[in-house]
Amino acid sequence: MWSSNVAIQGELSIAGITASDLAQEFATPAFIMDEVDFRARATAWDRALQSAFGQNAGTVYYAAKAFICTEVARWISDVGIGIDVCSGGELAVALAGGIDPGKIEFHGNNKSVDEIQRAVSIGVGTIVIDSLIEIERIGAAATKSGKVQRVLLRLTPGIQAHTHESIATAHEDVKFGFSIASGAAWKAIEEVRKHASIDLRGFHAHIGSQILDTDSFEISAERLIAFLAKYRDTFDSQLAELDLGGGYGIHYLPGDEELIPSVVMAALAITVSTNCARYNLEIPKISIEPGRAIVGPSMFTLYEVGTVKDVTLENGDNRRYISIDGGMSENIRPALYAAEYTAILANRTSIAPLLSSRLVGKHCETGDILIRDIALASDIAPGDLLATPATGAYGRSMASNYNHVPRPPVIAVNNGKARVIVRRESEADLLGLDI
Ligand code: LLP
């Protein structure tokens, strides 16, 4: 839940810097990022892939959509893994951070002609094809640049992953990929093979996000391998790569589970080798795309309490509303996916009795609820600091300017030093867009 350098003894601190010092220097709300923890998680996934698959290990592509900025792209480049981008903007950040284009994988169900041309001409390692129209676009862009573009086909293996419906992606009725069951995937193969400027390397599937059981990943791998066998049987040649996507779940609440890199990768390695043996296939290069599992636990959000209000409910009970200085603009996940978080008092300890409280933001909306029901010290007052762990994934990256609230900064902490890696948005930034 908390990153490895956070200590909660008395006041919360990270790598020796207290929450109060961070709030004083950088103000609140702020995303606080544990650089060492981020690097360690990226390395752990890379090692787990390497040790489970050995010479058949492909690449760990960090899913930039979870969170990216130029400095984090530099860390990715430093650690030596690849990156999955799904828009021209994410591509631009990856390049600004010095990531080798050959280690970039380009995703998206509606890449524009421009984005495709840019990706092809800078030499993006892999484009993951999502529609028939895109096959034509990539073929044309590669021909124009005089290149042969490596691609994977994104497939939907027909899996109902156990997660919120908005973040499940591999059942039949989704916008992503080509369905294996309906024959769409086979049609895409036939189309791709018509293009001399496209090099079909293999298949990709991403079954969803925040998945906590390994079974769904194993079933997906099984189905992709059966499809590899069909391809080999038909064309008498074997495709060399499989990308099994991301989606590995993390823990948000005390007592939650998370997927351990070495455990998931070992399970997948068994599935892959058993199924390849079954069809007499060579083991392809296996790649993965974790986003949340790398960046999620490495950040927490630091807030200041602004108001505390007691509301009498119709049944006579009391509900305490504690308002923090952010809300649904920098954490939309509770409102969008009913995601649950916890929070702690970060600037001091309290021996006051706990009181069931509702933690809310400052936005003009009833649904601006960060935590519906949490036991917090009854003496929490304006000026206190609260911290919510595990906000690194899809927090800052999905932040908005709702109510013209400027987006918070990201502060990286490493070895007792804190520095801004994404500065706080200002009102001038917001006004600067208006004509
Ligand atoms: N690969 C592909 C093709 C993806 O679409 C995604 C996430 C990932 C990898 C990374 O998944 P991760 O390892 O981070 O779970 N905004 C939602 C999550 C949307 C995920 C979209 N795709 C949330 O806040 O839960």
Side-chain angles (χ1 to χ4, degrees):
M1 219 166 57
W2 295 96
S3 69
S4 46
N5 293 295
V6 167
I8 309 170
Q9 287 136 358
E11 181 169 1
L12 179 146
S13 67
I14 171 165
I17 309 179
T18 62
S20 319
D21 283 348
L22 288 167
Q24 194 166 17
E25 186 171 355
F26 302 104
T28 55
F31 287 96
I32 311 296
M33 179 159 199
D34 188 333
E35 177 178 348
V36 174
D37 185 87
F38 178 94
R39 287 173 180 267
R41 285 176 200 278
T43 305
W45 282 97
D46 195 28
R47 292 215 175 118
L49 182 78
Q50 304 293 338
S51 72
F53 290 97
Q55 59 178 18
N56 301 311
T59 305
V60 173
Y61 294 102
Y62 168 65
K65 67 207 84 181
F67 174 72
I68 194 66
C69 65
T70 311
E71 180 66 1
V72 167
R74 287 187 201 107
W75 301 348
I76 292 291
S77 168
D78 229 33
V79 170
I81 61 174
I83 195 162
D84 138 17
V85 300
C86 67
S87 69
E90 287 180 0
L91 177 62
V93 185
L95 295 173
I99 293 179
D100 169 4
K103 287 195 163 166
I104 298 177
E105 192 188 56
F106 196 23
H107 268 289
N109 67 301
N110 183 15
K111 308 171 190 78
S112 70
V113 171
D114 247 30
E115 287 173 324
I116 290 173
Q117 186 65 60
R118 200 163 14 135
V120 170
S121 58
I122 61 160
V124 155
T126 305
I127 298 183
V128 184
I129 297 184
D130 198 278
S131 66
L132 292 176
I133 293 170
E134 202 177 291
I135 298 174
E136 300 308 314
R137 291 179 182 164
I138 295 172
T143 306
K144 190 169 155 196
S145 306
K147 295 189 172 183
V148 175
Q149 178 62 50
R150 292 176 162 225
V151 303
L152 298 178
L153 283 184
R154 177 162 180 172
L155 307 183
T156 37
I159 289 168
Q160 196 73 49
H162 305 292
T163 187
H164 189 277
E165 68 166 337
S166 304
I167 53 177
T169 50
H171 44 295
E172 292 297 326
D173 190 5
V174 282
K175 68 173 182 170
F176 296 111
F178 299 96
S179 152
I180 296 178
S182 75
W186 198 256
K187 169 109 182 71
I189 289 175
E190 288 169 347
E191 288 306 311
V192 167
R193 286 176 56 91
K194 293 179 186 162
H195 291 265
S197 60
I198 301 183
D199 176 15
L200 177 60
R201 303 291 301 165
F203 304 134
H204 165 280
H206 170 75
I207 57 174
S209 206
Q210 184 55 15
I211 294 166
L212 288 162
D213 63 291
T214 54
D215 301 6
S216 314
F217 293 106
E218 292 175 45
I219 297 169
S220 172
E222 235 174 86
R223 295 191 181 165
L224 293 191
I225 291 168
F227 208 55
L228 272 186
K230 180 174 175 190
Y231 184 99
R232 190 265 328 269
D233 295 345
T234 311
F235 301 114
D236 201 25
S237 76
Q238 193 192 324
L239 297 175
E241 296 178 27
L242 279 190
D243 184 329
L244 301 177
Y248 310 105
I250 63 166
H251 62 187
Y252 284 98
L253 298 177
D256 272 1
E257 292 182 26
E258 69 179 339
L259 289 182
I260 311 292
S262 55
V263 175
V264 199
M265 289 301 112
L268 278 177
I270 292 171
T271 304
V272 168
S273 61
T274 315
N275 283 278
C276 284
R278 179 164 151 204
Y279 296 108
N280 199 19
L281 287 165
E282 280 176 30
I283 297 181
K285 287 254 186 249
I286 303 292
S287 296
I288 53 167
E289 304 167 332
R292 186 192 314 266
I294 293 179
V295 74
S298 76
M299 283 197 224
F300 66 85
T301 313
L302 192 59
Y303 297 107
E304 187 179 297
V305 173
T307 63
V308 177
K309 184 191 277 184
D310 289 318
V311 171
T312 307
L313 307 181
E314 275 167 17
N315 65 3
D317 286 356
N318 176 62
R319 183 178 327 273
R320 172 154 296 184
Y321 278 86
I322 300 177
S323 300
I324 42 87
D325 50 356
M328 66 196 301
S329 58
E330 95 294 311
N331 191 350
I332 190 67
R333 300 193 68 257
L336 211 50
Y337 317 113
E340 293 184 284
Y341 288 84
T342 187
I344 63 161
L345 178 59
N347 56 316
R348 62 185 175 92
T349 51
S350 168
I351 50 160
L354 296 176
L355 189 68
S356 156
S357 308
R358 181 164 286 180
L359 200 60
V360 295
K362 65 177 281 147
H363 294 279
C364 254
E365 190 149 327
T366 308
D368 178 24
I369 298 170
L370 197 59
I371 302 176
R372 198 158 276 278
D373 188 14
I374 178 169
L376 286 171
S378 49
D379 65 350
I380 286 180
D384 273 328
L385 300 175
L386 295 180
T388 50
T391 53
Y394 308 102
R396 182 61 178 74
S397 73
M398 292 178 78
S400 74
N401 302 120
Y402 186 37
N403 297 144
H404 271 57
V405 172
R407 289 177 296 173
V410 180
I411 312 299
V413 179
N414 186 352
N415 198 19
K417 290 208 175 59
R419 66 191 202 283
V420 177
I421 59 169
V422 178
R423 73 163 167 80
R424 185 181 300 284
E425 200 164 30
S426 65
E427 286 176 5
D429 290 327
L430 298 180
L431 284 163
L433 296 173
D434 294 357
I435 309 297

